[in-house]
Coordinates of all heavy atoms in Angstrom, one line a residue:
A139 N 95.3 71.5 85.3 CA 96.3 70.6 84.9 C 96.5 69.4 86.0 O 96.5 68.4 85.7 CB 97.7 71.3 84.7
K140 N 96.4 69.8 87.3 CA 96.5 69.0 88.3 C 95.4 67.9 88.3 O 95.6 66.7 88.5 CB 96.6 69.5 89.7 CG 96.8 68.6 90.9 CD 97.2 69.4 92.2 CE 97.4 68.5 93.4 NZ 98.6 67.6 93.1
T141 N 94.1 68.5 88.2 CA 93.0 67.7 88.2 C 93.0 66.7 86.9 O 92.7 65.5 87.1 CB 91.7 68.5 88.0 OG1 91.6 69.4 89.1 CG2 90.4 67.7 88.0
I142 N 93.4 67.1 85.8 CA 93.4 66.3 84.6 C 94.5 65.2 84.9 O 94.3 64.1 84.5 CB 93.7 67.2 83.4 CG1 92.4 68.0 83.1 CG2 93.9 66.2 82.1 CD1 92.5 69.0 82.1
H143 N 95.6 65.7 85.3 CA 96.7 64.6 85.7 C 96.1 63.4 86.5 O 96.5 62.3 86.3 CB 97.9 65.3 86.2 CG 99.1 64.4 86.3 ND1 99.2 63.6 87.4 CD2 100.1 64.3 85.4 CE1 100.5 62.9 87.1 NE2 100.9 63.2 86.0
I144 N 95.4 63.8 87.6 CA 94.9 62.8 88.4 C 94.0 61.8 87.6 O 94.0 60.6 87.9 CB 94.1 63.5 89.6 CG1 95.1 64.1 90.7 CG2 93.3 62.4 90.4 CD1 94.4 65.0 91.7
L145 N 93.1 62.4 86.8 CA 92.2 61.5 86.0 C 93.0 60.6 85.2 O 92.5 59.4 84.9 CB 91.3 62.4 85.3 CG 90.3 63.3 86.0 CD1 89.6 64.2 85.0 CD2 89.3 62.5 86.7
G146 N 94.1 61.0 84.7 CA 94.9 60.0 83.7 C 95.9 59.2 84.4 O 96.5 58.4 83.8
D147 N 96.1 59.3 85.8 CA 97.1 58.7 86.4 C 96.4 57.3 87.0 O 95.7 57.4 88.1 CB 97.7 59.5 87.6 CG 98.8 58.7 88.4 OD1 99.1 57.6 88.1 OD2 99.4 59.4 89.2
Y148 N 96.6 56.3 86.4 CA 95.9 55.0 86.9 C 96.5 54.4 88.2 O 95.9 53.6 88.7 CB 96.0 53.9 85.7 CG 94.9 54.1 84.7 CD1 94.5 55.3 84.2 CD2 94.2 53.0 84.4 CE1 93.4 55.4 83.3 CE2 93.1 53.0 83.5 CZ 92.7 54.2 82.9 OH 91.7 54.4 82.1
N149 N 97.6 55.1 88.7 CA 97.9 54.7 90.0 C 97.0 55.4 91.1 O 97.1 54.9 92.3 CB 99.4 55.2 90.3 CG 100.4 54.4 89.4 OD1 100.2 53.2 89.3 ND2 101.3 55.0 88.8
V150 N 96.2 56.3 90.8 CA 95.3 57.0 91.7 C 94.1 56.2 91.7 O 93.3 56.0 90.6 CB 95.1 58.4 91.2 CG1 94.0 59.1 92.1 CG2 96.3 59.3 91.3
K151 N 93.7 55.6 92.8 CA 92.6 54.8 92.9 C 91.4 55.2 93.7 O 90.3 54.9 93.7 CB 93.0 53.4 93.5 CG 94.2 52.7 92.8 CD 93.8 52.2 91.4 CE 94.9 51.4 90.8 NZ 94.6 50.9 89.5
S152 N 91.7 56.3 94.6 CA 90.7 56.7 95.6 C 89.8 57.9 95.0 O 90.4 58.9 94.6 CB 91.5 57.2 96.8 OG 90.5 57.8 97.7
P153 N 88.5 57.7 95.0 CA 87.7 58.7 94.6 C 87.7 60.0 95.4 O 87.4 61.1 94.9 CB 86.2 58.1 94.8 CG 86.5 56.6 94.6 CD 87.9 56.4 95.2
S154 N 88.2 59.8 96.6 CA 88.3 60.9 97.6 C 89.3 62.0 97.2 O 89.4 63.1 97.8 CB 88.6 60.5 98.9 OG 89.9 60.0 99.0
L155 N 90.2 61.6 96.2 CA 91.1 62.6 95.7 C 90.6 63.6 94.8 O 91.3 64.5 94.3 CB 92.4 61.8 95.1 CG 93.2 61.0 96.0 CD1 94.3 60.3 95.3 CD2 93.8 61.9 97.1
L156 N 89.2 63.4 94.5 CA 88.6 64.4 93.6 C 87.3 64.9 94.4 O 86.7 64.2 95.1 CB 88.1 63.7 92.3 CG 89.2 63.2 91.4 CD1 88.5 62.3 90.3 CD2 89.9 64.3 90.7
R157 N 87.2 66.3 94.3 CA 86.0 66.9 94.8 C 84.9 67.2 93.8 O 85.3 67.4 92.7 CB 86.3 68.1 95.6 CG 86.8 69.3 94.8 CD 87.4 70.4 95.7 NE 87.8 71.6 95.0 CZ 88.7 72.4 95.4 NH1 89.2 72.3 96.7 NH2 89.0 73.5 94.6
R158 N 83.7 67.0 94.1 CA 82.6 67.3 93.1 C 81.6 68.3 93.7 O 81.2 68.2 94.8 CB 81.9 65.9 93.0 CG 82.8 64.8 92.4 CD 82.2 63.5 93.2 NE 83.0 62.3 92.7 CZ 84.3 61.9 93.3 NH1 84.6 62.6 94.3 NH2 84.9 60.8 92.8
P159 N 81.2 69.3 92.8 CA 81.6 69.5 91.4 C 82.8 70.2 91.4 O 83.4 70.6 92.3 CB 80.4 70.4 90.9 CG 79.9 71.1 92.1 CD 80.1 70.2 93.3
G160 N 83.2 70.5 90.1 CA 84.5 71.1 89.8 C 84.5 71.8 88.5 O 83.5 72.2 88.0
H161 N 85.7 72.0 88.0 CA 85.9 72.7 86.7 C 86.4 71.9 85.6 O 86.8 72.5 84.5 CB 86.9 73.9 87.0 CG 86.3 74.8 88.0 ND1 86.5 74.7 89.4 CD2 85.6 76.0 87.9 CE1 86.0 75.8 90.0 NE2 85.4 76.5 89.2
V162 N 86.5 70.6 85.7 CA 86.9 69.7 84.6 C 85.8 68.6 84.4 O 85.3 68.1 85.4 CB 88.2 68.9 85.0 CG1 88.6 67.9 83.9 CG2 89.4 70.0 85.1
L163 N 85.5 68.5 83.1 CA 84.3 67.7 82.7 C 84.8 66.3 82.2 O 85.2 66.3 81.0 CB 83.6 68.3 81.7 CG 82.5 69.3 82.1 CD1 81.4 68.8 83.0 CD2 83.0 70.5 82.8
P164 N 84.8 65.1 83.0 CA 85.2 63.8 82.4 C 84.0 63.5 81.5 O 82.8 63.8 81.6 CB 85.3 63.0 83.7 CG 85.5 63.9 84.8 CD 84.7 65.1 84.4
L165 N 84.3 62.7 80.4 CA 83.3 62.3 79.5 C 83.5 60.7 79.4 O 84.6 60.2 79.3 CB 83.7 62.8 78.1 CG 83.6 64.3 78.0 CD1 84.0 64.8 76.5 CD2 82.2 65.0 78.3
R166 N 82.4 60.1 79.4 CA 82.4 58.6 79.3 C 82.5 58.1 77.9 O 81.5 58.4 77.1 CB 81.2 58.0 80.0 CG 81.2 56.5 80.3 CD 79.9 56.2 81.0 NE 80.0 54.7 81.4 CZ 80.4 54.3 82.6 NH1 80.8 55.1 83.5 NH2 80.4 53.0 82.9
A167 N 83.6 57.6 77.5 CA 83.8 57.1 76.0 C 83.1 55.7 75.9 O 83.0 55.1 76.9 CB 85.3 57.1 75.7
R168 N 82.9 55.4 74.7 CA 82.5 54.1 74.3 C 83.7 53.2 74.5 O 84.8 53.5 74.1 CB 81.9 54.0 72.9 CG 80.8 54.9 72.7 CD 79.5 54.7 73.5 NE 78.4 55.3 73.1 CZ 78.0 56.5 73.3 NH1 78.8 57.3 74.0 NH2 76.8 57.0 72.8
K169 N 83.4 51.9 75.0 CA 84.6 51.0 75.2 C 85.4 50.6 74.0 O 86.6 50.5 74.1 CB 84.1 49.7 75.9 CG 83.6 49.9 77.3 CD 83.2 48.5 77.9 CE 83.0 48.8 79.5 NZ 82.8 47.4 80.1
N170 N 84.8 50.6 72.8 CA 85.5 50.3 71.5 C 85.9 51.5 70.8 O 86.2 51.4 69.6 CB 84.7 49.4 70.7 CG 85.6 48.6 69.7 OD1 86.7 48.4 70.0 ND2 84.9 48.1 68.6
G171 N 85.9 52.7 71.4 CA 86.5 53.8 70.8 C 85.8 54.3 69.6 O 84.7 54.2 69.4
V172 N 86.7 54.8 68.7 CA 86.1 55.4 67.4 C 85.5 54.3 66.6 O 84.7 54.7 65.6 CB 87.2 56.1 66.6 CG1 87.7 57.4 67.4 CG2 88.3 55.2 66.2
L173 N 85.6 53.1 66.8 CA 85.0 52.0 66.0 C 83.5 51.9 66.4 O 82.8 51.3 65.8 CB 85.7 50.7 66.2 CG 87.1 50.6 65.6 CD1 87.7 49.2 65.6 CD2 87.3 51.2 64.2
E174 N 83.2 52.4 67.6 CA 81.8 52.4 68.1 C 81.2 53.7 68.0 O 80.0 53.8 67.8 CB 81.9 52.0 69.6 CG 80.6 51.7 70.2 CD 80.7 51.0 71.6 OE1 81.7 50.6 71.9 OE2 79.6 51.0 72.3
R175 N 82.0 54.8 68.1 CA 81.4 56.2 68.0 C 82.5 57.0 67.4 O 83.5 57.2 68.1 CB 80.8 56.6 69.3 CG 80.3 58.1 69.4 CD 79.8 58.5 70.8 NE 79.2 59.8 70.7 CZ 80.0 60.9 71.1 NH1 81.3 60.8 71.4 NH2 79.3 62.1 71.1
G176 N 82.2 57.8 66.4 CA 83.3 58.6 65.8 C 83.3 60.1 66.4 O 83.3 61.0 65.6
G177 N 83.6 60.1 67.6 CA 83.6 61.5 68.4 C 85.0 61.7 68.9 O 85.8 60.9 69.0
H178 N 85.1 62.9 69.3 CA 86.4 63.3 69.9 C 86.7 62.7 71.2 O 87.8 62.5 71.6 CB 86.4 64.9 70.1 CG 86.6 65.6 68.8 ND1 85.4 66.2 68.2 CD2 87.6 65.9 68.0 CE1 85.8 66.9 67.1 NE2 87.2 66.7 66.9
T179 N 85.6 62.4 71.9 CA 85.7 61.7 73.2 C 86.4 60.3 73.0 O 87.4 60.0 73.7 CB 84.3 61.4 73.8 OG1 83.7 62.7 74.0 CG2 84.5 60.8 75.2

Side-chain angles (χ1 to χ4, degrees):
K140 184 172 183 62
T141 300
I142 291 169
H143 190 274
I144 288 173
L145 293 172
D147 183 356
Y148 272 49
N149 291 317
V150 173
K151 306 292 186 182
S152 174
S154 66
L155 293 178
L156 296 166
R157 63 190 185 199
R158 305 150 177 81
H161 297 87
V162 174
L163 278 296
L165 304 176
R166 193 178 186 92
R168 304 299 195 274
K169 286 188 175 183
N170 202 22
V172 295
L173 298 186
E174 189 173 345
R175 178 178 179 270
H178 290 101
T179 303

